[in-house]
Amino acid sequence: MKDTPLSNCERDFLLKAIEEKKRLDGRQTYDYRKIKISFGTDYGCCFVDLGQTRVMAQVSCELVAPKENRPNEGIMFFNIELSPMASPGFEQGRQSELSVKLNRQLERCLRNSKCIDTESLCVVSGEKVWQIRVDVHTLNNDGNLMDAASIAAITALCHFRRPDVSTQGQEVTVYSPEERDPIPLSIYHMPISVSFAFFQQGTYLLVDPCEREERVMDGLLVIAMNKHREICSIQPVESVDLQSPCHRTESQL
Amino acid sequence: MAGLELLSDQGYRLDGRKATELRKLQARMGVFTQADGSAYLEQGNTKALAVVYGPHEMRGSRSRTLHDRAVINCQYSMATFSTAERKRRPHGDRKSTEMSLHLKQTFEAAVMTQLYPRSQIDIYVKVRVGLTLHLVRGIIAEIDFFVIVHKHVSIVFQQILQSDGGNYSVCVNAATLAVIDAGIPMRDYVCACTVGFVDETPLADLCYAEENGGVSSLALALLPRGGQIALLQMDARLHQDHLETLIEAAMTACKGVSKVLDEVVRQHLQEASVLTGE
């Protein structure tokens, strides 16, 4: 099903309001919406509410054979599901452009920045490693799925506990939670992504666009940072001329 | 990997270059006669072939036609045989789709699409990393492979090789030359370069070993004359203070690349005008 198209008057109204530095929900240009994080019953299950945008992340693990070129590192797998529950425009099963972009951005943000110690996930080098799988499901799309997904993913990873294992030679015993307490993952730092939306060819900048603002924006820039003031990834999601906005966003960061 | 010294004390890198030196860039335009525009570019050991068809009528989904500009369709592909481990998964890979999307974004910023409403421009790029092959033989082999594939289906055969920053820059440079060869008007050359940051020094034009050594890399596509950034992409951790220096280094490197590309275009034009007897 296609999204209802945005009418011209609504588009003009939004752009005019942004020129006057007003947003639909009364926020300032650099304000985030209210973030609420709650956890489910299992370890590694977490719900994030970013205003009305709601996503759920679930972390699970299993023992698999490692990749050939990295025999003593664990595997991290990320997946963002855009379900039709979130928005009528999303279609079940089809890998749309947005889904690819979100998935890749999440992978860059979390995997390339090496926030999890993958070597600690190795059980038997070359044979058995833990594969950590993070599934993010979008439950309601009110804009800025990327930030919500990144918060949910990193929170779920911090919350997750994996089963304890012991090795005796080649034999591996996996203990259930009743026998031995499960162990948390070793996380070096927590990268969080921040989305900036550009309007009027980069003249106006908004943080955390809601769904209406996303429809009229010219471009989107996603920057992932952690609290040590390190930038983990910069990614423009839509085409945008980056010169001046880049310098301004830097000063904001 | 821990033993590799990416920047020695004397300031030399793994392949003997200095920190701000670019790899050797060789390019040829007008490689295929069937396509509207084509270019072959070698940057170090990475070779890219770019082919441009268009502007022509919208093919495939008519619903994607834009009433006021042209649609740019990019396909990025790599050859299966040109890597250490043979890749199994053909087109549809997330990484190659992402690379195609990045290329599309970059060229939408540069090509003057308003001049061709309701039409489509196709840019196909094929990358091969590997051992040096004689230039002419390499082109012929690629031509056969490519033409056969293109005749069969509209989807270009795609496989992933290594889709990190280094590949992206080579693709963009090759595609720029191909678009110029096709005669499609652009605002400026699009030059791309990947820079990394090691020991407080920015390294220009990363090679494969440097990229995989855990260096924070930044890929930048620039329109040199106006200094406008078409695409900026960064991976791995980099402290906020270093970002400015890294972007500056990237912009200088891109301007260097643009000089080389400009020379290639002028030479090609000269050769072509000699042949037509002007």
Side-chain angles (χ1 to χ4, degrees):
Chain A
M1 206 185 118
K2 270 191 80 128
D3 262 330
T4 43
L6 197 66
S7 62
N8 279 342
C9 6
E10 216 175 341
R11 180 187 297 269
D12 292 337
F13 174 73
L14 280 166
L15 288 174
K16 201 84 199 312
I18 289 167
E19 277 172 40
E20 295 171 11
K21 307 241 191 285
K22 288 186 171 45
R23 293 176 81 161
L24 276 188
D25 42 10
R27 283 185 282 159
Q28 297 294 317
T29 40
Y30 298 121
D31 278 351
Y32 249 83
R33 288 172 283 183
K34 194 152 167 301
I35 302 178
K36 194 161 94 72
I37 303 177
S38 53
F39 295 96
T41 45
D42 286 336
Y43 279 126
C45 175
C46 133
F47 292 86
V48 168
D49 282 359
L50 186 64
Q52 293 285 343
T53 303
R54 198 171 159 86
V55 303
M56 180 194 107
Q58 174 71 51
V59 181
S60 53
C61 67
E62 69 171 325
L63 280 174
V64 295
K67 293 203 175 127
E68 284 124 20
N69 51 347
R70 294 195 200 272
N72 42 349
E73 281 185 24
I75 304 173
M76 300 274 310
F77 182 71
F78 299 96
N79 185 33
I80 299 187
E81 293 275 348
L82 295 178
S83 75
M85 198 192 318
S87 159
F90 296 154
E91 280 181 27
Q92 180 67 21
R94 241 184 23 145
Q95 207 188 35
S96 68
E97 263 186 33
L98 179 65
S99 150
V100 171
K101 284 178 184 164
L102 288 177
N103 271 300
R104 279 299 297 153
Q105 177 58 19
L106 192 68
E107 273 182 21
R108 276 178 197 285
C109 175
L110 293 178
R111 187 192 287 159
N112 292 7
S113 63
K114 306 218 188 334
C115 60
I116 306 256
D117 180 14
T118 41
E119 291 199 356
S120 67
L121 298 174
C122 177
V123 177
V124 178
S125 174
E127 282 180 30
K128 289 226 176 286
V129 297
W130 284 111
Q131 177 184 22
I132 306 285
R133 191 195 161 100
V134 182
D135 286 294
V136 180
H137 294 263
T138 51
L139 302 173
N140 191 33
N141 177 24
D142 193 29
N144 206 4
L145 282 173
M146 187 60 234
D147 291 0
S150 88
I151 296 174
I154 195 70
T155 317
L157 282 168
C158 292
H159 187 239
F160 180 64
R161 304 272 179 276
R162 65 170 172 83
D164 196 3
V165 288
S166 70
T167 49
Q168 280 184 319
Q170 293 297 327
E171 226 185 77
V172 173
T173 338
V174 180
Y175 295 107
S176 70
E178 291 88 35
E179 293 167 15
R180 280 209 207 166
D181 280 336
I183 327 173
L185 301 172
S186 60
I187 298 183
Y188 291 139
H189 63 102
M190 300 179 59
I192 311 267
S193 75
V194 177
S195 301
F196 294 89
F198 297 100
F199 301 88
Q200 312 284 41
Q201 277 80 48
T203 340
Y204 302 103
L205 192 69
L206 287 186
V207 168
D208 188 18
C210 70
E211 201 247 337
R212 293 265 163 241
E213 289 162 353
E214 267 186 359
R215 295 248 208 142
V216 298
M217 72 182 172
D218 281 340
L220 183 75
L221 183 72
V222 180
I223 299 185
M225 281 184 82
N226 64 16
K227 70 169 188 197
H228 306 297
R229 308 197 69 175
E230 286 168 352
I231 303 178
C232 300
S233 129
I234 299 183
Q235 181 89 356
V237 178
E238 307 282 325
S239 46
V240 62
D241 169 20
L242 287 176
Q243 181 71 343
S244 51
C246 210
H247 289 142
R248 272 194 293 132
T249 54
E250 270 184 57
S251 50
Q252 306 310 334
L253 291 171
Chain B
M1 279 288 183
L4 277 177
E5 197 185 40
L6 293 171
L7 189 71
S8 75
D9 298 324
Q10 291 87 28
Y12 291 107
R13 290 151 74 173
L14 283 176
D15 46 5
R17 284 185 284 153
K18 290 265 184 180
T20 50
E21 238 180 279
L22 300 173
R23 285 178 293 182
K24 183 162 179 213
L25 219 160
Q26 285 176 306
R28 286 179 61 117
M29 292 168 62
V31 169
F32 298 135
T33 46
Q34 198 179 27
D36 291 327
S38 56
Y40 178 84
L41 190 133
E42 261 184 55
Q43 204 166 341
N45 262 350
T46 311
K47 301 157 183 46
L49 255 178
V51 168
V52 171
Y53 287 89
H56 54 70
E57 207 187 320
M58 276 301 289
R59 298 207 191 115
S61 55
R62 290 282 163 85
S63 59
R64 289 196 304 152
T65 317
L66 295 172
H67 67 280
D68 56 350
R69 17 185 239 279
V71 169
I72 297 188
N73 176 36
C74 287
Q75 300 255 28
Y76 166 81
S77 82
M78 280 163 141
T80 40
F81 43 80
S82 46
T83 175
E85 29 171 294
R86 227 190 127 87
K87 292 291 174 168
R88 280 155 264 114
R89 185 99 191 272
H91 58 88
D93 233 63
R94 269 187 211 161
K95 275 193 182 168
S96 81
T97 322
E98 191 205 19
M99 185 69 90
S100 310
L101 287 176
H102 284 331
L103 284 174
K104 181 178 143 93
Q105 249 178 267
T106 317
F107 281 95
E108 265 175 7
V111 171
M112 301 178 96
T113 44
Q114 293 86 358
L115 297 173
Y116 304 106
R118 313 188 72 87
S119 54
Q120 179 179 337
I121 298 174
D122 293 319
I123 304 179
Y124 298 115
V125 190
K126 193 171 183 61
V127 177
R128 200 180 60 207
V129 168
L131 318 161
T132 44
L133 196 68
H134 190 267
L135 201 73
V136 172
R137 249 192 300 139
I139 291 174
I140 292 175
E142 290 286 344
I143 288 173
D144 291 338
F145 182 64
F146 205 79
V147 164
I148 290 168
V149 166
H150 189 70
K151 271 190 190 147
H152 279 311
V153 286
S154 54
I155 305 169
V156 175
F157 194 45
Q158 289 183 30
Q159 261 133 343
I160 262 283
L161 223 184
Q162 50 170 100
S163 68
D164 307 304
N167 267 7
Y168 169 75
S169 335
V170 178
C171 285
V172 169
N173 293 336
T176 306
L177 288 180
V179 170
I180 292 177
D181 191 40
I184 300 176
M186 286 210 289
R187 292 196 180 86
D188 198 355
Y189 288 95
V190 186
C191 308
C193 194
T194 323
V195 289
F197 204 78
V198 166
D199 292 345
E200 316 286 316
T201 333
L203 301 178
D205 201 6
L206 297 178
C207 65
Y208 183 60
E210 286 167 343
E211 262 172 31
N212 281 17
V215 170
S216 30
S217 70
L218 181 115
L220 184 81
L222 185 76
L223 275 64
R225 240 178 289 175
Q228 289 175 323
I229 301 176
L231 190 124
L232 185 150
Q233 184 180 301
M234 208 208 76
D235 286 330
R237 293 160 70 174
L238 178 77
H239 199 271
Q240 184 185 334
D241 302 334
H242 300 314
L243 185 65
E244 276 285 351
T245 34
L246 204 59
I247 294 186
E248 285 300 323
M251 290 176 81
T252 328
C254 283
K255 296 209 168 100
V257 171
S258 79
K259 287 205 189 77
V260 179
L261 292 184
D262 193 37
E263 244 185 68
V264 169
V265 171
R266 284 180 202 280
Q267 175 150 34
H268 176 77
L269 196 61
Q270 216 173 20
E271 281 172 15
S273 65
V274 160
L275 283 172
T276 52
E278 282 167 32

Short mmCIF file of all heavy atoms in Angstrom, two decimals, chain B residues 244-276:
data_model
loop_
_atom_site.label_atom_id
_atom_site.label_comp_id
_atom_site.label_asym_id
_atom_site.label_seq_id
_atom_site.Cartn_x
_atom_site.Cartn_y
_atom_site.Cartn_z
N GLU B 244 37.93 18.02 11.51
CA GLU B 244 38.25 19.14 10.61
C GLU B 244 39.49 18.84 9.78
O GLU B 244 39.50 19.01 8.57
CB GLU B 244 38.52 20.40 11.43
CG GLU B 244 37.31 21.20 11.81
CD GLU B 244 36.72 21.98 10.65
OE1 GLU B 244 37.35 22.06 9.57
OE2 GLU B 244 35.62 22.51 10.82
N THR B 245 40.56 18.41 10.44
CA THR B 245 41.82 18.15 9.72
C THR B 245 41.60 17.07 8.69
O THR B 245 42.13 17.13 7.58
CB THR B 245 42.94 17.67 10.67
OG1 THR B 245 42.36 16.91 11.70
CG2 THR B 245 43.73 18.83 11.21
N LEU B 246 40.81 16.06 9.05
CA LEU B 246 40.61 14.96 8.13
C LEU B 246 39.84 15.41 6.90
O LEU B 246 40.18 15.06 5.77
CB LEU B 246 39.84 13.84 8.84
CG LEU B 246 40.04 12.45 8.25
CD1 LEU B 246 41.49 12.06 8.30
CD2 LEU B 246 39.22 11.45 9.02
N ILE B 247 38.83 16.24 7.10
CA ILE B 247 38.06 16.74 5.96
C ILE B 247 38.95 17.61 5.08
O ILE B 247 38.90 17.54 3.85
CB ILE B 247 36.80 17.50 6.42
CG1 ILE B 247 35.85 16.55 7.10
CG2 ILE B 247 36.12 18.16 5.26
CD1 ILE B 247 34.54 17.16 7.47
N GLU B 248 39.79 18.44 5.71
CA GLU B 248 40.71 19.28 4.93
C GLU B 248 41.63 18.43 4.08
O GLU B 248 41.84 18.69 2.90
CB GLU B 248 41.58 20.12 5.87
CG GLU B 248 40.89 21.30 6.51
CD GLU B 248 40.37 22.30 5.50
OE1 GLU B 248 41.04 22.52 4.47
OE2 GLU B 248 39.27 22.81 5.72
N ALA B 249 42.20 17.40 4.68
CA ALA B 249 43.10 16.52 3.94
C ALA B 249 42.37 15.85 2.79
O ALA B 249 42.91 15.74 1.68
CB ALA B 249 43.67 15.46 4.88
N ALA B 250 41.12 15.44 3.05
CA ALA B 250 40.35 14.79 1.99
C ALA B 250 40.10 15.76 0.84
O ALA B 250 40.18 15.39 -0.33
CB ALA B 250 39.02 14.27 2.55
N MET B 251 39.79 17.00 1.17
CA MET B 251 39.50 17.96 0.11
C MET B 251 40.75 18.23 -0.72
O MET B 251 40.67 18.35 -1.95
CB MET B 251 38.94 19.26 0.71
CG MET B 251 37.54 19.06 1.26
SD MET B 251 36.83 20.46 2.08
CE MET B 251 36.25 21.42 0.73
N THR B 252 41.90 18.31 -0.07
CA THR B 252 43.14 18.52 -0.84
C THR B 252 43.40 17.35 -1.75
O THR B 252 43.75 17.51 -2.93
CB THR B 252 44.34 18.67 0.10
OG1 THR B 252 43.92 19.28 1.28
CG2 THR B 252 45.45 19.46 -0.56
N ALA B 253 43.20 16.14 -1.23
CA ALA B 253 43.43 14.94 -2.04
C ALA B 253 42.50 14.92 -3.23
O ALA B 253 42.88 14.59 -4.35
CB ALA B 253 43.26 13.69 -1.19
N CYS B 254 41.23 15.29 -2.99
CA CYS B 254 40.26 15.29 -4.09
C CYS B 254 40.65 16.29 -5.15
O CYS B 254 40.48 16.05 -6.35
CB CYS B 254 38.87 15.63 -3.57
SG CYS B 254 38.09 14.26 -2.73
N LYS B 255 41.16 17.43 -4.74
CA LYS B 255 41.57 18.42 -5.74
C LYS B 255 42.72 17.87 -6.57
O LYS B 255 42.80 18.12 -7.77
CB LYS B 255 41.98 19.73 -5.06
CG LYS B 255 40.83 20.39 -4.33
CD LYS B 255 40.96 21.91 -4.28
CE LYS B 255 39.65 22.49 -3.81
NZ LYS B 255 39.60 22.86 -2.41
N GLY B 256 43.61 17.10 -5.93
CA GLY B 256 44.67 16.45 -6.68
C GLY B 256 44.12 15.49 -7.71
O GLY B 256 44.55 15.47 -8.88
N VAL B 257 43.13 14.71 -7.30
CA VAL B 257 42.51 13.76 -8.22
C VAL B 257 41.86 14.51 -9.38
O VAL B 257 41.92 14.09 -10.54
CB VAL B 257 41.47 12.89 -7.48
CG1 VAL B 257 40.66 12.07 -8.44
CG2 VAL B 257 42.15 11.99 -6.48
N SER B 258 41.23 15.64 -9.07
CA SER B 258 40.52 16.37 -10.13
C SER B 258 41.50 16.86 -11.19
O SER B 258 41.18 16.88 -12.38
CB SER B 258 39.73 17.53 -9.54
OG SER B 258 40.57 18.62 -9.28
N LYS B 259 42.71 17.21 -10.76
CA LYS B 259 43.71 17.65 -11.77
C LYS B 259 44.02 16.52 -12.73
O LYS B 259 44.10 16.70 -13.95
CB LYS B 259 45.00 18.09 -11.08
CG LYS B 259 44.92 19.39 -10.35
CD LYS B 259 46.29 20.04 -10.22
CE LYS B 259 46.25 21.23 -9.30
NZ LYS B 259 46.20 20.87 -7.88
N VAL B 260 44.21 15.32 -12.17
CA VAL B 260 44.53 14.17 -13.02
C VAL B 260 43.38 13.89 -13.98
O VAL B 260 43.57 13.67 -15.18
CB VAL B 260 44.82 12.93 -12.16
CG1 VAL B 260 45.13 11.75 -13.04
CG2 VAL B 260 45.97 13.20 -11.21
N LEU B 261 42.17 13.90 -13.46
CA LEU B 261 41.00 13.60 -14.31
C LEU B 261 40.88 14.63 -15.42
O LEU B 261 40.58 14.30 -16.56
CB LEU B 261 39.73 13.57 -13.46
CG LEU B 261 39.58 12.44 -12.45
CD1 LEU B 261 38.23 12.52 -11.77
CD2 LEU B 261 39.73 11.10 -13.09
N ASP B 262 41.12 15.89 -15.07
CA ASP B 262 41.02 16.96 -16.06
C ASP B 262 42.00 16.71 -17.20
O ASP B 262 41.66 16.85 -18.38
CB ASP B 262 41.33 18.29 -15.37
CG ASP B 262 40.95 19.47 -16.23
OD1 ASP B 262 39.92 19.38 -16.92
OD2 ASP B 262 41.68 20.47 -16.23
N GLU B 263 43.22 16.31 -16.82
CA GLU B 263 44.23 16.03 -17.85
C GLU B 263 43.79 14.90 -18.75
O GLU B 263 43.97 14.96 -19.97
CB GLU B 263 45.53 15.63 -17.17
CG GLU B 263 46.64 16.58 -17.42
CD GLU B 263 47.91 16.05 -16.82
OE1 GLU B 263 48.40 15.03 -17.34
OE2 GLU B 263 48.36 16.65 -15.84
N VAL B 264 43.22 13.87 -18.16
CA VAL B 264 42.79 12.71 -18.94
C VAL B 264 41.73 13.15 -19.95
O VAL B 264 41.77 12.77 -21.13
CB VAL B 264 42.22 11.61 -18.02
CG1 VAL B 264 41.52 10.55 -18.82
CG2 VAL B 264 43.33 11.00 -17.19
N VAL B 265 40.80 13.98 -19.50
CA VAL B 265 39.71 14.41 -20.38
C VAL B 265 40.27 15.24 -21.52
O VAL B 265 39.92 15.05 -22.70
CB VAL B 265 38.66 15.21 -19.59
CG1 VAL B 265 37.65 15.84 -20.53
CG2 VAL B 265 37.95 14.32 -18.60
N ARG B 266 41.18 16.14 -21.19
CA ARG B 266 41.72 17.01 -22.24
C ARG B 266 42.51 16.20 -23.26
O ARG B 266 42.44 16.45 -24.46
CB ARG B 266 42.61 18.08 -21.62
CG ARG B 266 41.81 19.18 -20.98
CD ARG B 266 42.67 20.25 -20.35
NE ARG B 266 41.91 20.95 -19.35
CZ ARG B 266 41.02 21.91 -19.61
NH1 ARG B 266 40.81 22.29 -20.84
NH2 ARG B 266 40.36 22.48 -18.64
N GLN B 267 43.25 15.21 -22.75
CA GLN B 267 44.03 14.40 -23.67
C GLN B 267 43.11 13.61 -24.59
O GLN B 267 43.36 13.51 -25.79
CB GLN B 267 44.89 13.45 -22.87
CG GLN B 267 45.65 12.51 -23.76
CD GLN B 267 46.95 12.12 -23.13
OE1 GLN B 267 47.03 12.00 -21.93
NE2 GLN B 267 47.97 11.95 -23.95
N HIS B 268 42.06 13.06 -24.00
CA HIS B 268 41.13 12.28 -24.80
C HIS B 268 40.50 13.13 -25.89
O HIS B 268 40.34 12.72 -27.04
CB HIS B 268 40.04 11.70 -23.89
CG HIS B 268 38.98 10.96 -24.61
ND1 HIS B 268 39.17 9.69 -25.09
CD2 HIS B 268 37.73 11.30 -24.97
CE1 HIS B 268 38.07 9.29 -25.70
NE2 HIS B 268 37.17 10.25 -25.64
N LEU B 269 40.18 14.36 -25.52
CA LEU B 269 39.56 15.28 -26.48
C LEU B 269 40.53 15.59 -27.62
O LEU B 269 40.14 15.65 -28.78
CB LEU B 269 39.17 16.57 -25.76
CG LEU B 269 38.19 17.47 -26.49
CD1 LEU B 269 36.90 16.73 -26.72
CD2 LEU B 269 37.93 18.72 -25.69
N GLN B 270 41.80 15.76 -27.23
CA GLN B 270 42.81 16.06 -28.24
C GLN B 270 42.94 14.90 -29.22
O GLN B 270 42.99 15.09 -30.42
CB GLN B 270 44.14 16.30 -27.54
CG GLN B 270 44.95 17.36 -28.21
CD GLN B 270 46.17 17.68 -27.40
OE1 GLN B 270 46.59 16.88 -26.56
NE2 GLN B 270 46.74 18.81 -27.64
N GLU B 271 43.00 13.69 -28.64
CA GLU B 271 43.11 12.52 -29.50
C GLU B 271 41.92 12.40 -30.44
O GLU B 271 42.06 12.12 -31.62
CB GLU B 271 43.18 11.24 -28.65
CG GLU B 271 44.53 10.99 -28.05
CD GLU B 271 44.49 9.84 -27.05
OE1 GLU B 271 43.50 9.10 -27.05
OE2 GLU B 271 45.45 9.72 -26.30
N ALA B 272 40.75 12.65 -29.87
CA ALA B 272 39.54 12.51 -30.69
C ALA B 272 39.52 13.56 -31.79
O ALA B 272 39.13 13.28 -32.92
CB ALA B 272 38.31 12.64 -29.80
N SER B 273 39.96 14.76 -31.47
CA SER B 273 39.92 15.82 -32.50
C SER B 273 40.96 15.55 -33.58
O SER B 273 40.75 15.88 -34.74
CB SER B 273 40.14 17.18 -31.86
OG SER B 273 41.43 17.25 -31.32
N VAL B 274 42.08 14.93 -33.21
CA VAL B 274 43.09 14.58 -34.22
C VAL B 274 42.50 13.55 -35.17
O VAL B 274 42.67 13.63 -36.39
CB VAL B 274 44.36 14.02 -33.52
CG1 VAL B 274 45.18 13.22 -34.48
CG2 VAL B 274 45.16 15.17 -32.93
N LEU B 275 41.78 12.57 -34.61
CA LEU B 275 41.22 11.50 -35.45
C LEU B 275 40.18 12.03 -36.42
O LEU B 275 40.08 11.59 -37.55
CB LEU B 275 40.58 10.44 -34.56
CG LEU B 275 41.56 9.47 -33.88
CD1 LEU B 275 40.82 8.61 -32.90
CD2 LEU B 275 42.27 8.63 -34.91
N THR B 276 39.38 13.00 -35.95
CA THR B 276 38.34 13.51 -36.85
C THR B 276 38.89 14.62 -37.74
O THR B 276 38.15 15.21 -38.51
CB THR B 276 37.15 14.05 -36.05
OG1 THR B 276 37.65 14.97 -35.07
CG2 THR B 276 36.40 12.94 -35.36
#
